[in-house]
Amino acid sequence: MTKLSPLATFVYKAYLRSRLDRYTRDLQAIAAQRENDFYAERILHREVIEVRSKLHSL
């Protein structure tokens, strides 16, 4: 492996940090979306049960 110049090493580290930050933000967005989906699914499930119950009671 070739030794990089100090400037190239600095630039490469900055590039890798930028990618890491971006991937971390993307993972956080995915986790938040999953949490939102989970709550939306719970609310929808409750509504389905309520409507099904009303329908059966008629």
Side-chain angles (χ1 to χ4, degrees), residues 1-22:
M1 182 172 178
T2 29
K3 179 102 171 120
L4 297 175
S5 71
L7 178 60
T9 302
F10 177 78
V11 171
Y12 188 57
K13 282 183 179 180
Y15 165 73
L16 291 176
R17 283 189 191 106
S18 172
R19 282 181 60 189
L20 182 60
D21 288 346
R22 182 177 145 231

Side-chain angles (χ1 to χ4, degrees), residues 33-54:
Q33 183 62 46
R34 280 187 183 156
E35 187 173 333
N36 290 340
D37 288 349
F38 175 74
Y39 288 120
E41 183 181 358
R42 284 182 57 199
I43 291 169
L44 185 57
H45 184 68
R46 253 185 293 178
E47 293 296 321
V48 166
I49 290 172
E50 184 180 327
V51 170
R52 189 178 290 152
S53 174
K54 287 178 182 179

